Amino acid sequence: MDLAERLSKERRARLAAERLLEQKSRELFAANEKLALHARSLSDQVVEQREKVRSALSEAEMLKGQNTRFVKDLDKAHTTAVMAERRLWDSINTIKDGFAVFDADFKLVTANHAYLAPFRGKPVAPGVGFDEMLTILATGGLLDLGDAPVETWAGDILHDLDSERAEPHVLKYVNGNYIRLVNRRARDGDVVSLAINITEQMRIWAAIEAIPDGFVLFDREDRLLTCNQRYRDIYALSADGMTPGAKFEDILRFGLANGQHPDATGREEEWLDQRLSHRRENPHDIHEQHLTDGRWIRAYDHPTPDGGRVGLRIDITEMKEQQEALRVAREEAEAASRAKSAFLANMSHEIRTPMNGVVGMAELLCDTGLTAEQRLFAETIKSSGEALLVIINDILDYSKIEAERLTLRPEPFDLERTIHEVAMLLQPRAREKGIDLMVDFDMFLPTRYVADPGRLRQVLTNLVGNAVKFTDKGHVLIRVVGLETEPGQQQLHVTVEDTGIGIAPEYLDHIFGEFNQVESESNRKFEGTGLGLAITQRLIERMDGAVWVDSEVGKGSSFGFRLTLPVAEASILPNLPITVHRALVVDDQFINRTILERQLTPSGVATVLCRSGAEAMEVLASGAEFDVVITDHQMPDMDGIALLARLRAGGFTMPVVMLSSNPAAARESETASDLAAILQKPVLRAELYRTLQALSGPDPQEAPPMEPPVPAEARAMRVLTAEDNRTNQLVFQKMVREWSIELVFAGNGLEAVDLYQSFMPDLIFMDISMPEMDGRDAARAIRRLEKPGAHIPSVALTAHAMDGDAEGILAAGIDRYMTKPLRRAAIHDVLAEFCPEGALPIALPPVAMTGT
Ligand code: ADP
């Protein structure tokens, strides 16, 4: 082997060794590096592990602390839970209602005091069965089980316990308490049992059940909450639909289906709509219902504070029956009253017709030449007839007022004249008794008013008539004063004062009652129906006025009334040309003198007042001058006639006017013709002025008044009287015999219509009840024949006194009506009023006819 070879071999070996070394170095390096990396990662892991250990340590520390806290908290929580449980049981024990828990096998787990109270002293403790508890209750004598045997009762309750929704049971204790037992199964199978004390509720409910009326309560959705048995009984056909929770509408539907509401038959839906909308619109409602069985119910519904509705149903069947009975009774009474009125009207006709003959003929008889005895008889017939008429009229009037058939007929009239007429009518009686009847009508008061003059005259006649009747000496004074309450309205006070027997205070209210009279020795002698004041009061009240009385026994009475009336026209203060300026007034009565003075002064007549003839002579002797002497007739010592004689003897020639309550007697005296005038007392103001005017000489400033031209050929007024009754024809004929009229009678309506055409009357008097054709039909027939503008006035003569008649008569076209018996003065007034121009005037009736 050569060296080179060796060398090259060595070199190659070296080179290989070097390469191996280099490779091994590289491998070493890499291994070192890996090792370093590994070491680093190990170191990192160590650090990390160390970190973990450290954090685990601190976590363990923390957990340890936490654990200690938890133990503490648990301790606290346990204490709180124990306290809460104790508090809960304290609370559960304080409530009045019982609370208990049973396990799934109905063994008692726990219960509060209230639940256990009935078992005090009994072996009841946790573990005891519900059934055992019920048996203890039932057999302990505490419960009122009614008729139910213990087993059944307890069995029912136990049975319910197993059902899904156990119904509550009400336990009634013998001490009057009520408990509602409610059992509920909890999710875990336990049973919660509540024993609720419902004694108060049961008491209220018992009361609601006890009321005799139906009671019902609905909630705000109109669902039935409850109702009592009475309510179910009232709506018996709907009762089965009244389950709690049922809607009102459904109960109605149920009732409809069962025939509860007969008024809905055939229109059920419409009825239901109406009923429901009525209920909606009227939360406060009262209405009446008529049920199928004939009963009547009054239903009251009211809203409750929570939006529900409470209702009461009252059975008013009995009340309805009474109402019906009353209605029937009223109808019967009304029918009876109508029959009575018709009877009265008939009776009035029947009585008045013959009375016309009696009174009329007696009146005519008195005017003929009679012996004193015959005159007495005739006058007695007349006055008895008149008295009878007053009574008939009173009874009729009263019946009319009672039957509300009295109608007032207001018209313009002269109040002063009416009062004077009443006074004149009563003057003869006053004169007989020797009492003075005076009128004091306030000078400044208008005299014409609008009212029913007939009725006012009746009131005045009653009051003045009583005053005259109950007065034996002294006077009766009618006084009228008034004040204007508003323009055209006068409040009038009319008083009638007397100096008669008076009325004891205890009778003052009583006398205005019907048929009431003062029962005493002093007035037993007076006659009367006892209706006058009752009628007076009612009439004045109908005129919106008031009546009163003041009286003192033995001194006299003062009756008065107040009325507010419209004035018919402006006051007619006489503006007559009176040239009499000075008057000497002689009257023994102070009131009369004063009235005269007040009547004369406003017309410019100065007066000197004397109490007696002697005083008057003294005044004249002193040289005073007078244009007229106005003297009373009857005066003590020297009467008016004697005074006249003394005046003339003394050379005094002035005119003397005498005021007398008995002009007829005055006229009989020999010197009567020397009197300038005799005036009926009480004197009407207008009458006095007329007389003084006549005494006045012609006013120099005025031309003498022209006398009205008397027609050259005056004809008599033509009067047609339709009257079937012969006596009445005769009476009529006699009554008008003094006047120049041409009188023709028709015996019935048909004749009247014929005569109307052939006789051409100026005035027709028409009887109403006549055969063939009655007065109303005749009047209608005549009105049809009348030419326009040629109306012939007609006056009905009727014996009917009821008001409806008057209206029927006037409706037939008759202008007036007069009630029988006929009075001559009334006939005169009508004749005078309708006497046509160109006919002979109707003379004044003799004074004796006006009531003297
Ligand atoms: P009559 O007069 O018909 O008995 P009234 O009703 O007019 O009936 O009067 C009732 C009663 O009142 C009279 O009976 C009488 O007792 C009493 N009375 C009425 N007016 C007077 C009066 N002016 N003075 C005394 N008593 C009177």
Side-chain angles (χ1 to χ4, degrees):
M1 194 172 355
D2 71 14
L3 193 40
E5 234 177 89
R6 259 193 250 157
L7 270 172
S8 124
K9 205 178 164 187
E10 195 199 19
R11 211 175 119 230
R12 275 188 311 267
R14 200 184 20 116
L15 276 174
E18 274 177 10
R19 276 196 305 266
L20 188 63
L21 183 65
E22 200 178 336
Q23 188 188 347
K24 288 296 173 189
S25 293
R26 266 198 315 268
E27 278 175 8
L28 187 66
F29 184 77
N32 265 344
E33 239 178 19
K34 223 179 197 174
L35 205 63
L37 270 176
H38 187 66
R40 203 176 307 138
S41 110
L42 270 182
S43 155
D44 282 352
Q45 270 179 13
V46 168
V47 172
E48 201 178 311
Q49 286 299 327
R50 218 177 269 151
E51 258 320 289
K52 275 188 184 155
V53 169
R54 198 177 303 134
S55 89
L57 273 177
S58 75
E59 219 168 272
E61 252 337 278
M62 203 177 73
L63 284 175
K64 200 172 146 202
Q66 250 177 9
N67 197 23
T68 326
R69 259 199 331 274
F70 284 160
V71 171
K72 261 194 210 150
D73 284 353
L74 201 63
D75 214 25
K76 219 157 120 197
H78 178 69
T79 319
T80 316
V82 170
M83 273 170 68
E85 189 187 359
R86 193 178 305 146
R87 198 178 269 170
L88 180 67
W89 273 103
D90 281 350
S91 308
I92 290 177
N93 275 330
T94 53
I95 54 173
K96 274 197 347 226
D97 300 320
F99 167 83
V101 180
F102 293 85
D103 65 15
D105 300 324
F106 306 130
K107 301 285 183 221
L108 180 65
V109 176
T110 184
N112 71 353
H113 295 333
Y115 201 92
L116 295 176
F119 304 98
R120 204 162 293 142
K122 303 279 171 13
V124 171
V128 72
F130 187 59
D131 51 345
E132 289 167 73
M133 290 175 79
L134 287 181
T135 316
I136 292 174
L137 267 188
T139 52
L142 295 174
L143 279 184
D144 177 357
L145 299 180
D147 298 332
V150 177
E151 303 75 42
T152 336
W153 173 79
D156 280 353
I157 300 181
L158 286 168
H159 172 265
D160 276 358
L161 271 183
D162 278 333
S163 67
E164 261 308 292
R165 278 192 64 84
E167 280 299 312
H169 284 265
V170 174
L171 311 186
K172 184 177 176 195
Y173 282 77
V174 282
N175 65 2
N177 282 355
Y178 284 86
I179 298 293
R180 179 183 288 135
L181 203 56
V182 186
N183 296 320
R184 286 272 183 281
R185 207 178 268 279
R187 252 176 301 171
D188 58 1
D190 279 357
V191 174
V192 177
S193 177
L194 292 178
I196 304 162
N197 190 332
I198 53 164
T199 312
E200 285 301 312
Q201 260 165 282
M202 288 305 277
R203 229 171 250 160
I204 293 171
W205 187 245
I208 291 175
E209 278 294 348
I211 55 170
D213 308 315
F215 171 89
V216 66
L217 187 62
F218 287 91
D219 68 9
R220 53 186 311 147
E221 262 92 50
D222 224 6
R223 292 181 186 280
L224 179 70
L225 286 173
T226 188
C227 66
N228 66 1
Q229 188 54 40
R230 185 80 185 105
Y231 185 82
R232 293 168 186 280
D233 292 347
I234 289 174
Y235 304 106
L237 298 175
S238 312
D240 289 344
M242 295 174 189
T243 44
K247 286 210 77 149
F248 175 69
E249 180 180 342
D250 295 335
I251 299 177
L252 284 185
R253 284 190 186 282
F254 189 92
L256 282 174
N258 286 283
Q260 177 72 68
H261 308 286
D263 50 331
T265 318
R267 47 170 208 112
E268 283 76 5
E269 281 305 315
E270 186 195 345
W271 182 93
L272 194 72
D273 278 354
Q274 283 173 358
R275 182 77 186 80
L276 290 174
S277 69
H278 180 86
R279 184 170 169 92
R280 265 194 309 278
E281 286 154 21
N282 301 282
H284 292 270
D285 184 36
I286 300 178
H287 67 272
E288 290 182 0
Q289 302 168 346
H290 197 193
L291 305 184
T292 345
D293 58 6
R295 278 174 311 149
W296 278 94
I297 300 297
R298 180 168 295 152
Y300 295 85
D301 283 329
H302 291 281
T304 54
D306 63 353
R309 201 177 288 218
V310 61
L312 212 55
R313 300 291 179 270
I314 298 174
D315 191 330
I316 52 164
T317 314
E318 212 169 295
M319 201 181 84
K320 280 277 180 187
E321 280 165 5
Q322 282 168 357
Q323 266 177 7
E324 179 59 14
L326 274 178
R327 191 190 60 77
V328 172
R330 197 186 60 218
E331 269 175 15
E332 281 170 8
E334 279 169 0
S337 163
R338 277 194 296 276
K340 185 186 79 177
S341 304
F343 173 75
L344 282 172
N346 267 339
M347 283 312 289
S348 133
H349 182 250
E350 296 305 320
I351 298 172
R352 277 162 188 270
T353 306
M355 285 303 287
N356 191 36
V358 176
V359 178
M361 280 304 191
E363 192 177 345
L364 291 169
L365 193 60
C366 290
D367 292 345
T368 60
L370 297 176
T371 66
E373 198 181 25
Q374 285 168 336
R375 178 168 298 280
L376 177 69
F377 294 167
E379 275 173 0
T380 310
I381 297 172
K382 184 174 153 231
S383 59
S384 307
E386 279 167 350
L388 184 55
L389 274 172
V390 169
I391 295 171
I392 297 170
N393 286 343
D394 266 7
I395 295 176
L396 269 173
D397 273 344
Y398 193 72
S399 317
K400 272 196 273 183
I401 296 175
E402 278 296 272
E404 292 181 355
R405 288 186 57 177
L406 183 118
T407 355
L408 296 175
R409 298 174 196 290
E411 57 178 76
F413 76 107
D414 189 314
L415 177 65
E416 191 184 14
R417 176 174 282 276
T418 306
I419 291 177
H420 274 83
E421 280 166 3
V422 170
M424 300 271 245
L425 201 73
L426 292 159
Q427 183 64 270
R429 286 204 15 229
R431 191 175 61 226
E432 273 164 29
K433 299 176 87 171
I435 53 180
D436 262 294
L437 187 52
M438 301 173 282
V439 178
D440 181 8
F441 196 98
D442 187 346
M443 272 307 304
F444 299 100
L445 207 60
T447 63
R448 288 180 62 78
Y449 297 93
V450 179
D452 185 329
R455 293 303 172 189
L456 262 182
R457 181 194 303 267
Q458 187 176 3
V459 166
L460 287 162
T461 312
N462 274 333
L463 296 182
V464 183
N466 277 347
V468 172
K469 178 157 83 174
F470 296 106
T471 304
D472 282 336
K473 58 176 186 297
H475 69 258
V476 170
L477 169 64
I478 309 163
R479 197 191 290 279
V480 186
V481 291
L483 81 151
E484 192 168 35
T485 45
E486 56 186 276
Q489 292 276 340
Q490 284 280 345
Q491 192 184 70
L492 298 170
H493 283 243
V494 180
T495 41
V496 179
E497 282 169 33
D498 66 52
T499 51
I501 60 172
I503 304 164
E506 64 268 28
Y507 288 111
L508 280 181
D509 288 336
H510 167 87
I511 51 169
F512 287 103
E514 42 294 329
F515 307 110
N516 285 348
Q517 296 173 315
V518 175
E519 287 290 335
S520 74
E521 277 305 313
S522 58
N523 82 348
R524 195 147 298 159
K525 58 185 183 206
F526 300 104
E527 292 169 351
T529 55
L531 278 175
L533 288 178
I535 295 173
T536 297
Q537 188 180 39
R538 282 162 196 236
L539 284 177
I540 292 293
E541 281 168 2
R542 280 289 308 277
M543 300 181 196
D544 298 325
V547 185
W548 65 85
V549 57
D550 277 329
S551 188
E552 206 177 319
V553 175
K555 293 232 163 115
S557 313
S558 170
F559 280 83
F561 61 88
R562 181 181 59 233
L563 273 186
T564 303
L565 298 182
V567 179
E569 60 193 44
S571 167
I572 42 142
L573 252 192
N575 193 13
L576 302 169
I578 297 177
T579 52
V580 170
H581 296 303
R582 295 155 300 174
L584 180 63
V585 172
V586 192
D587 199 313
D588 57 320
Q589 281 284 339
F590 166 76
I591 301 172
N592 271 341
R593 289 196 299 273
T594 323
I595 296 174
L596 277 168
E597 181 186 24
R598 288 193 358 217
Q599 287 181 333
L600 292 170
T601 319
S603 303
V605 183
T607 52
V608 171
L609 308 177
C610 298
R611 243 170 296 192
S612 64
E615 201 181 311
M617 293 309 294
E618 271 172 38
V619 171
L620 285 167
S622 69
E625 290 197 2
F626 296 95
D627 303 322
V628 66
V629 173
I630 302 175
T631 176
D632 187 21
H633 179 190
Q634 267 130 6
M635 290 185 289
D637 301 331
M638 187 194 301
D639 71 5
I641 298 289
L643 175 62
L644 174 69
R646 288 281 293 279
L647 285 171
R648 298 298 180 241
F652 298 104
T653 55
M654 73 283 270
V656 177
V657 173
M658 194 161 81
L659 314 180
S660 173
S661 11
N662 192 355
R667 253 186 290 275
E668 274 165 25
S669 90
E670 279 175 20
T671 48
S673 59
D674 192 11
L675 287 167
I678 303 174
L679 301 181
Q680 167 79 51
K681 265 173 60 177
V683 182
L684 192 62
R685 226 187 324 174
E687 193 71 33
L688 183 65
Y689 294 133
R690 241 195 319 274
T691 309
L692 293 182
Q693 190 193 15
L695 290 180
S696 304
D699 195 323
Q701 281 161 32
E702 268 185 33
M706 292 287 286
E707 281 292 311
V710 179
E713 278 175 58
R715 64 169 177 91
M717 177 182 182
R718 284 188 296 274
V719 177
L720 167 63
T721 300
E723 167 68 74
D724 61 317
N725 184 299
R726 288 227 154 263
T727 317
N728 286 345
Q729 282 191 6
L730 188 62
V731 172
F732 193 91
Q733 193 172 26
K734 295 290 179 201
M735 281 187 166
V736 301
R737 66 171 189 257
E738 281 171 20
W739 301 308
S740 334
I741 62 168
E742 199 181 336
L743 177 66
V744 169
F745 283 106
N748 60 45
L750 288 176
E751 276 181 40
V753 178
D754 287 347
L755 281 165
Y756 161 75
Q757 287 163 295
S758 56
F759 177 57
M760 292 193 293
D762 299 310
L763 175 66
I764 306 171
F765 286 98
M766 183 75 83
D767 185 25
I768 292 302
S769 309
M770 287 186 294
E772 300 200 46
M773 180 190 261
D774 79 4
R776 290 188 191 85
D777 290 342
R780 275 190 212 104
I782 290 174
R783 291 289 164 256
R784 278 196 294 273
L785 291 170
E786 263 174 6
K787 305 222 165 32
H791 175 69
I792 298 300
S794 55
V795 179
L797 305 177
T798 169
H800 283 272
M802 298 306 272
D803 267 327
D805 297 322
E807 271 138 32
I809 289 166
L810 299 177
I814 297 180
D815 305 271
R816 295 280 175 85
Y817 73 94
M818 291 168 91
T819 315
K820 288 176 185 175
L822 302 177
R823 311 305 303 260
R824 188 140 59 146
I827 296 180
H828 167 268
D829 289 350
V830 173
L831 287 173
E833 183 178 343
F834 293 115
C835 184
E837 247 177 71
L840 288 169
I842 308 298
L844 267 175
V847 175
M849 286 297 110
T850 58
T852 17

mmCIF file of all heavy atoms in Angstrom, residues 54 154 182 243 289 349 352 479 485 500-501 621 752 822:
data_model
loop_
_atom_site.group_PDB
_atom_site.id
_atom_site.type_symbol
_atom_site.label_atom_id
_atom_site.label_comp_id
_atom_site.label_asym_id
_atom_site.label_seq_id
_atom_site.Cartn_x
_atom_site.Cartn_y
_atom_site.Cartn_z
ATOM 1 N N ARG A 54 -49.535 28.087 43.563
ATOM 2 C CA ARG A 54 -49.764 29.265 44.381
ATOM 3 C C ARG A 54 -51.243 29.686 44.347
ATOM 4 O O ARG A 54 -51.846 29.905 45.395
ATOM 5 C CB ARG A 54 -48.902 30.444 43.896
ATOM 6 C CG ARG A 54 -48.782 31.527 44.982
ATOM 7 C CD ARG A 54 -47.866 32.665 44.515
ATOM 8 N NE ARG A 54 -46.547 32.175 44.162
ATOM 9 C CZ ARG A 54 -45.910 32.525 43.060
ATOM 10 N NH1 ARG A 54 -46.480 33.315 42.185
ATOM 11 N NH2 ARG A 54 -44.698 32.052 42.800
ATOM 12 N N ALA A 154 -120.817 12.476 57.525
ATOM 13 C CA ALA A 154 -119.354 12.394 57.459
ATOM 14 C C ALA A 154 -118.943 11.747 56.136
ATOM 15 O O ALA A 154 -118.000 12.185 55.478
ATOM 16 C CB ALA A 154 -118.826 11.590 58.639
ATOM 17 N N VAL A 182 -113.524 24.061 53.533
ATOM 18 C CA VAL A 182 -113.046 23.973 52.152
ATOM 19 C C VAL A 182 -111.776 23.109 52.147
ATOM 20 O O VAL A 182 -110.812 23.444 52.836
ATOM 21 C CB VAL A 182 -112.719 25.392 51.610
ATOM 22 C CG1 VAL A 182 -112.360 25.327 50.129
ATOM 23 C CG2 VAL A 182 -113.873 26.329 51.846
ATOM 24 N N THR A 243 -128.566 29.822 37.998
ATOM 25 C CA THR A 243 -127.393 29.260 38.673
ATOM 26 C C THR A 243 -126.378 30.386 38.812
ATOM 27 O O THR A 243 -126.248 31.211 37.901
ATOM 28 C CB THR A 243 -126.789 28.122 37.843
ATOM 29 O OG1 THR A 243 -126.770 28.572 36.481
ATOM 30 C CG2 THR A 243 -127.602 26.865 37.952
ATOM 31 N N GLN A 289 -144.260 44.472 36.443
ATOM 32 C CA GLN A 289 -144.317 43.310 35.554
ATOM 33 C C GLN A 289 -145.584 42.515 35.864
ATOM 34 O O GLN A 289 -145.948 42.384 37.028
ATOM 35 C CB GLN A 289 -143.101 42.405 35.800
ATOM 36 C CG GLN A 289 -141.775 43.104 35.601
ATOM 37 C CD GLN A 289 -140.595 42.273 36.124
ATOM 38 O OE1 GLN A 289 -140.797 41.309 36.846
ATOM 39 N NE2 GLN A 289 -139.397 42.670 35.737
ATOM 40 N N HIS A 349 -185.953 70.927 38.160
ATOM 41 C CA HIS A 349 -186.935 71.282 37.154
ATOM 42 C C HIS A 349 -188.346 71.039 37.681
ATOM 43 O O HIS A 349 -189.222 71.891 37.605
ATOM 44 C CB HIS A 349 -186.679 70.432 35.905
ATOM 45 C CG HIS A 349 -187.600 70.750 34.791
ATOM 46 N ND1 HIS A 349 -188.580 69.881 34.392
ATOM 47 C CD2 HIS A 349 -187.709 71.839 34.023
ATOM 48 C CE1 HIS A 349 -189.257 70.431 33.409
ATOM 49 N NE2 HIS A 349 -188.738 71.619 33.163
ATOM 50 N N ARG A 352 -189.060 73.557 40.543
ATOM 51 C CA ARG A 352 -189.132 74.951 40.145
ATOM 52 C C ARG A 352 -190.339 75.263 39.272
ATOM 53 O O ARG A 352 -190.872 76.362 39.338
ATOM 54 C CB ARG A 352 -187.863 75.343 39.373
ATOM 55 C CG ARG A 352 -186.737 75.701 40.254
ATOM 56 C CD ARG A 352 -185.460 75.630 39.468
ATOM 57 N NE ARG A 352 -184.320 75.800 40.346
ATOM 58 C CZ ARG A 352 -183.785 76.987 40.620
ATOM 59 N NH1 ARG A 352 -184.273 78.064 40.075
ATOM 60 N NH2 ARG A 352 -182.770 77.074 41.427
ATOM 61 N N ARG A 479 -168.896 96.941 53.956
ATOM 62 C CA ARG A 479 -167.836 97.913 53.684
ATOM 63 C C ARG A 479 -166.929 97.341 52.584
ATOM 64 O O ARG A 479 -166.556 96.171 52.630
ATOM 65 C CB ARG A 479 -167.018 98.111 54.959
ATOM 66 C CG ARG A 479 -166.155 99.351 54.960
ATOM 67 C CD ARG A 479 -165.206 99.314 56.127
ATOM 68 N NE ARG A 479 -165.833 99.482 57.428
ATOM 69 C CZ ARG A 479 -166.172 100.661 57.935
ATOM 70 N NH1 ARG A 479 -165.989 101.772 57.246
ATOM 71 N NH2 ARG A 479 -166.720 100.734 59.137
ATOM 72 N N THR A 485 -153.229 96.406 43.190
ATOM 73 C CA THR A 485 -152.031 95.579 43.355
ATOM 74 C C THR A 485 -151.130 95.708 42.137
ATOM 75 O O THR A 485 -149.911 95.673 42.238
ATOM 76 C CB THR A 485 -152.402 94.098 43.539
ATOM 77 O OG1 THR A 485 -153.385 93.764 42.570
ATOM 78 C CG2 THR A 485 -152.936 93.827 44.916
ATOM 79 N N GLY A 500 -174.755 91.692 66.012
ATOM 80 C CA GLY A 500 -175.676 90.638 66.434
ATOM 81 C C GLY A 500 -175.151 89.754 67.556
ATOM 82 O O GLY A 500 -174.317 90.186 68.358
ATOM 83 N N ILE A 501 -175.606 88.503 67.544
ATOM 84 C CA ILE A 501 -175.346 87.630 68.695
ATOM 85 C C ILE A 501 -173.892 87.161 68.774
ATOM 86 O O ILE A 501 -173.439 86.735 69.827
ATOM 87 C CB ILE A 501 -176.271 86.372 68.678
ATOM 88 C CG1 ILE A 501 -176.054 85.555 67.407
ATOM 89 C CG2 ILE A 501 -177.734 86.754 68.825
ATOM 90 C CD1 ILE A 501 -176.785 84.223 67.420
ATOM 91 N N ALA A 621 -181.470 127.716 61.846
ATOM 92 C CA ALA A 621 -181.848 128.931 62.562
ATOM 93 C C ALA A 621 -180.641 129.861 62.702
ATOM 94 O O ALA A 621 -180.775 131.089 62.749
ATOM 95 C CB ALA A 621 -182.412 128.567 63.940
ATOM 96 N N ALA A 752 -193.346 78.189 17.753
ATOM 97 C CA ALA A 752 -192.455 79.337 17.942
ATOM 98 C C ALA A 752 -191.763 79.683 16.628
ATOM 99 O O ALA A 752 -191.665 80.851 16.246
ATOM 100 C CB ALA A 752 -191.440 79.033 19.024
ATOM 101 N N LEU A 822 -189.794 82.955 37.543
ATOM 102 C CA LEU A 822 -189.472 84.242 36.945
ATOM 103 C C LEU A 822 -189.817 85.377 37.895
ATOM 104 O O LEU A 822 -190.776 85.297 38.658
ATOM 105 C CB LEU A 822 -190.261 84.408 35.648
ATOM 106 C CG LEU A 822 -189.989 83.313 34.632
ATOM 107 C CD1 LEU A 822 -190.855 83.517 33.408
ATOM 108 C CD2 LEU A 822 -188.524 83.310 34.239
#
